[in-house]
Amino acid sequence: MTAEAVRQHRIGSEGRGIGMKFLSDISNVFVREMTPVLREPLGLVFSMVQPLLFLFLFGPLLGGAGEFGGTSAWQWFVPGVLILMCLFGPMMAGYNLLVELMGGSMERMLVTPVNRTAMLIGRTLKESLVLLVQAVLIIALALPLGFQFYPLGVLVGLALLVVLGVGLGGLSFALAILAHPSGQLFYIVTQVGLFPLMLLSGVLLPIDFGPTWLQVAAKINPIMHVADAVRALFAGTFADISIVYGTLAAFLVALLGLVVGTRTMRRGI
Amino acid sequence: MIHARGLTKRFKVKKESVEAVRGIDLDVEAGQLVAFLGPNGAGKSTTLRMLTTLLPPTSGTATVAGHDVVTDPAGVRRRIGYVGQNNSAGENFLVRDELVHQGCSYGLTRSQARRRADEVLELLDLQLLAKRKPGTLSGGQRRRLDIAMGLIHLPPLLFLDEPSTGLDPQNRANIWEHVLRLREEYGTTLFLTTHYLEEADSMAERVVIIDHGEIIADGTAEQLKSELAGDHLAVTTHDEAGTRKAAEIAARIAEQGEVTVDGTVVRLRVARANAALPAYLRSVEESGVKVATAEATRPTLDDVFLALTGRSLRESEETA
């Protein structure tokens, strides 16, 4: 291609519709983020080591304890493992963004005409897709263990997880931007914030086992409501009030994440 | 290509307002190669970040490549290339993948971007590294990759923030070779910061010096040197009486600054040493003083900075 062709292109591309450009920006960012995953798909499995360990080394302990909330231990625990992934996946996404901010690659992208919001959405889409693939893998692995598969419930449950993941991703990106350039804030918040969120969501053991104060604390944790909703859905139940709360909580987190993420991105880095 | 008026940036640092850039006026015509020089913290990078739309100015305006950085940042971004101080390729990505992504970021189709990626890989001698991750590249190779990224869309204007910092002399020369070729082939306007004075001196046709957020000098290296620093003459006599006499004569012809005497050495500054030295030597000899040695030195840009600020640029670098 000659230099002239590129010049002509630059002039021509200016006439593109704003909507078209936005979509192609999103796809451009998404493709960039996906390429390393496709080149090394094994990395996908390695990033699942933690949830897999929980599934195989912690899950059987629950099985020994008998039934949970009226269902088998696996029925109860698999959604918890997925929620775990949903918490730690976006944290890694934020961490990756932080690394790119501290290097020069994010700055390089910010000087290109790529839309800021598209950068956020493209990255979030990739995280969601990875999350979805990993969730399907976990479910497939849990089937021989005695996990009962209710297709419709699982489908809606996964959708809920993606919605939550989008929100947490947005928050994680915003945190990475705010933590830049030292990165300290990011480490502090993820360390101090993520574990209470996880422990108070009842993914490892039922919150009902705990004292009242713990149950109250868990009630204000949106993650717990999503976990409860996903559990109900994975058990094939649709007529459960927890699903309403969980859906509300997931969308609330998603809205918060997208708004905060976009605003932080727009405010400049 | 660049027209800035009253460009100012204030930062809030611990509740105190710090003025990093104070009302810069700057005009750069198409095709120029401008070196932006100054000590660390002088406002070089902040200015560059405003001109490249990374940072909104607190006040003032700047038109870059025909578009306003505040009201039409997208128009500016489409037309400029930027090679930042840090490495611009992501660590988890392959070299060629990043180049293709960069091309697509400027609106090229994927197949166009692939072709352009191969072109810039060849242009910067990176073909063999296309399938590697940036982390496995040497410092010079990474810097060439950064420049390749900045060139993917053939910008009419390319900003480079310290393109050769941290490289050994051989790699620095190599980077410069590529930068200069770029200019020759495509007529790209180049605006770069550097703290290697020798580079600014020998490569740039125009040097802009910034200190404490203000432009304190602007011109060709030659102009700045003869107008602001002048050449140095150093003449040694055999005895101190002769030195005194030589210093008196020196005071009459020295054009700028003062005449200094150090033992039997007389030092003075003149606009043009090649013309002044023979005349001075003649006057000294005529007064009956024998001259032992005579030396004329051209000033460096550091001398220019010293003349302007009373500080050496090198010292400012070290204490900054």
Side-chain angles (χ1 to χ4, degrees), chain A residues 1-3 6-7 9-10 13-14 16 21 28-29 31-33 35-36 39-40 96 100 102-105 107-114 116 269, chain B residues 49 54 77-80 82 84 86-90 92-94 97-98 101-102 104-108 110 112 116 119 133 149 153-156 186:
Chain A
M1 184 170 27
T2 63
V6 175
R7 291 234 165 85
H9 180 86
R10 179 164 50 235
S13 67
E14 217 143 339
R16 276 190 310 167
K21 181 182 174 295
N28 180 31
V29 175
V31 169
R32 173 185 190 250
E33 297 298 317
T35 309
R39 287 205 189 280
E40 288 166 37
N96 287 339
E100 293 213 69
M102 288 177 12
S105 46
E107 189 180 70
R108 182 255 304 174
M109 285 180 252
L110 290 171
V111 184
T112 70
V114 173
R116 265 51 174 166
I269 293 165
Chain B
R49 291 172 68 81
L54 279 169
R77 287 178 193 140
R78 214 169 276 132
R79 289 168 181 80
I80 63 167
Y82 172 69
N86 295 317
N87 289 121
S88 58
N92 295 325
F93 304 85
L94 303 187
D97 288 348
E98 280 291 72
H101 160 72
Q102 178 78 345
C104 291
S105 299
Y106 285 97
L108 299 181
R110 202 146 283 275
Q112 279 175 326
R116 260 310 281 168
E119 279 177 12
K133 283 189 182 182
M149 297 275 248
H153 56 305
L154 282 165
Y186 303 113

Side-chain angles (χ1 to χ4, degrees), chain B residues 9-318:
Chain B
K9 184 73 196 178
R10 269 189 292 274
F11 291 111
K12 278 251 193 296
V13 182
K14 285 174 189 153
K15 282 180 188 162
E16 259 177 74
S17 177
V18 177
E19 215 164 38
V21 176
R22 310 168 183 222
I24 278 184
D25 294 333
L26 185 68
D27 292 283
V28 175
E29 301 311 318
Q32 275 193 336
L33 198 177
V34 180
F36 202 41
L37 206 65
N40 280 332
K44 276 180 306 196
S45 285
T46 306
T47 306
L48 213 63
R49 291 172 68 81
M50 285 193 279
L51 294 176
T52 52
T53 76
L54 279 169
L55 211 59
T58 310
S59 65
T61 59
T63 311
V64 175
H67 295 256
D68 190 286
V69 292
V70 176
T71 59
D72 186 15
V76 175
R77 287 178 193 140
R78 214 169 276 132
R79 289 168 181 80
I80 63 167
Y82 172 69
V83 178
Q85 267 182 41
N86 295 317
N87 289 121
S88 58
E91 295 300 334
N92 295 325
F93 304 85
L94 303 187
V95 164
R96 188 167 175 273
D97 288 348
E98 280 291 72
L99 285 167
V100 173
H101 160 72
Q102 178 78 345
C104 291
S105 299
Y106 285 97
L108 299 181
T109 64
R110 202 146 283 275
S111 65
Q112 279 175 326
R114 284 200 194 103
R115 257 176 294 159
R116 260 310 281 168
D118 291 332
E119 279 177 12
V120 288
L121 281 171
E122 199 190 320
L123 186 73
L124 288 143
D125 294 328
L126 292 166
Q127 301 104 307
L128 298 176
L129 307 172
K131 295 249 158 74
R132 298 254 293 262
K133 283 189 182 182
T136 66
L137 269 51
S138 73
Q141 291 168 337
R142 289 203 72 151
R143 220 51 193 134
R144 290 213 301 277
L145 173 58
D146 294 336
I147 294 178
M149 297 275 248
L151 289 181
I152 197 94
H153 56 305
L154 282 165
L157 169 62
L158 182 64
F159 290 93
L160 302 117
D161 202 355
E162 313 229 331
S164 55
T165 297
L167 298 180
D168 57 62
Q170 205 179 345
N171 274 312
R172 272 165 63 187
N174 180 265
I175 290 285
W176 271 103
E177 213 176 282
H178 286 298
V179 167
L180 293 177
R181 198 170 75 204
L182 190 72
R183 187 161 171 251
E184 235 167 72
E185 282 183 28
Y186 303 113
T188 313
T189 310
L190 296 164
F191 190 88
L192 57 97
T193 70
T194 175
H195 59 224
Y196 291 116
L197 297 162
E198 305 78 18
E199 277 186 5
D201 198 340
S202 58
M203 304 295 181
E205 54 193 17
R206 180 174 162 199
V207 177
V208 178
I209 302 181
I210 183 171
D211 189 39
H212 296 309
E214 285 175 80
I215 291 178
I216 53 171
D218 183 352
T220 67
E222 281 308 307
Q223 269 171 3
L224 295 185
K225 282 191 277 191
S226 42
E227 281 169 23
L228 296 165
D231 296 353
H232 288 263
L233 293 186
V235 169
T236 318
T237 57
H238 292 287
D239 52 62
E240 290 194 1
T243 312
R244 266 199 301 280
K245 191 89 193 148
E248 270 169 37
I249 299 165
R252 288 206 294 273
I253 69 154
E255 289 173 38
Q256 304 142 312
E258 55 204 51
V259 177
T260 57
V261 177
D262 179 11
T264 54
V265 188
V266 178
R267 291 199 174 82
L268 63 147
R269 282 196 347 216
V270 294
R272 293 181 33 166
N274 53 0
L277 185 58
Y280 176 56
L281 290 180
R282 237 180 346 264
S283 312
V284 173
E285 298 265 327
E286 272 165 21
S287 73
V289 176
K290 283 256 179 289
V291 173
T293 66
E295 192 178 62
T297 41
R298 299 282 294 133
T300 63
L301 284 176
D302 196 31
D303 295 320
V304 173
F305 191 78
L306 183 70
L308 284 166
T309 66
R311 289 175 291 132
S312 159
L313 195 64
R314 289 180 211 280
E315 282 167 23
S316 305
E317 286 284 298
E318 279 154 20

Side-chain angles (χ1 to χ4, degrees), chain A:
Chain A
M1 184 170 27
T2 63
E4 194 45 40
V6 175
R7 291 234 165 85
Q8 287 301 327
H9 180 86
R10 179 164 50 235
I11 297 157
S13 67
E14 217 143 339
R16 276 190 310 167
I18 289 176
M20 270 303 290
K21 181 182 174 295
F22 189 62
L23 289 181
S24 69
D25 280 355
I26 292 176
S27 110
N28 180 31
V29 175
F30 175 75
V31 169
R32 173 185 190 250
E33 297 298 317
M34 266 325 274
T35 309
V37 181
L38 296 177
R39 287 205 189 280
E40 288 166 37
L42 259 165
L44 208 67
V45 178
F46 279 120
S47 64
M48 285 172 63
V49 165
Q50 223 173 15
L52 284 176
L53 286 177
F54 270 109
L55 189 69
F56 287 111
L57 301 184
F58 189 83
L61 297 177
L62 297 178
E67 293 214 330
F68 278 76
T71 57
S72 87
W74 290 113
Q75 215 64 26
W76 186 88
F77 188 57
V78 169
V81 171
L82 299 184
I83 292 276
L84 269 184
M85 286 193 331
C86 210
L87 280 174
F88 287 97
M91 189 194 76
M92 275 311 291
Y95 175 76
N96 287 339
L97 181 72
L98 183 65
V99 170
E100 293 213 69
L101 277 166
M102 288 177 12
S105 46
M106 197 62 205
E107 189 180 70
R108 182 255 304 174
M109 285 180 252
L110 290 171
V111 184
T112 70
V114 173
N115 181 288
R116 265 51 174 166
T117 312
M119 286 184 198
L120 204 71
I121 296 179
R123 278 172 184 263
T124 311
L125 275 180
K126 175 254 179 177
E127 295 307 325
S128 307
L129 187 65
V130 168
L131 186 71
L132 213 55
V133 171
Q134 289 180 331
V136 169
L137 277 174
I138 294 271
I139 291 169
L141 287 169
L143 281 177
L145 297 174
F147 174 75
Q148 289 228 325
F149 184 60
Y150 298 96
L152 198 61
V154 165
L155 206 67
V156 179
L158 287 180
L160 218 51
L161 281 173
V162 169
V163 172
L164 177 69
V166 166
L168 290 175
L171 289 176
S172 173
F173 290 144
L175 186 61
I177 293 168
L178 291 175
H180 168 69
S182 77
Q184 251 174 5
L185 182 71
F186 186 83
Y187 306 123
I188 293 171
V189 174
T190 49
Q191 288 304 312
V192 176
L194 210 55
F195 271 87
L197 271 186
M198 180 189 93
L199 294 171
L200 287 177
S201 63
V203 293
L204 297 179
L205 288 168
I207 288 291
D208 310 341
F209 288 10
T212 319
W213 66 264
L214 194 94
Q215 296 191 23
V216 171
K219 279 268 189 305
I220 52 171
N221 178 7
I223 312 290
M224 189 216 73
H225 294 288
V226 182
D228 276 357
V230 174
R231 252 183 219 126
L233 288 164
F234 274 35
T237 322
F238 280 90
D240 194 313
I241 189 70
S242 70
I243 296 173
V244 178
Y245 290 139
T247 310
L248 270 175
F251 275 95
L252 214 68
V253 173
L255 189 72
L256 189 72
L258 284 179
V259 169
V260 173
T262 313
R263 280 185 62 172
T264 318
M265 199 85 167
R266 282 191 180 280
R267 224 191 40 196
I269 293 165

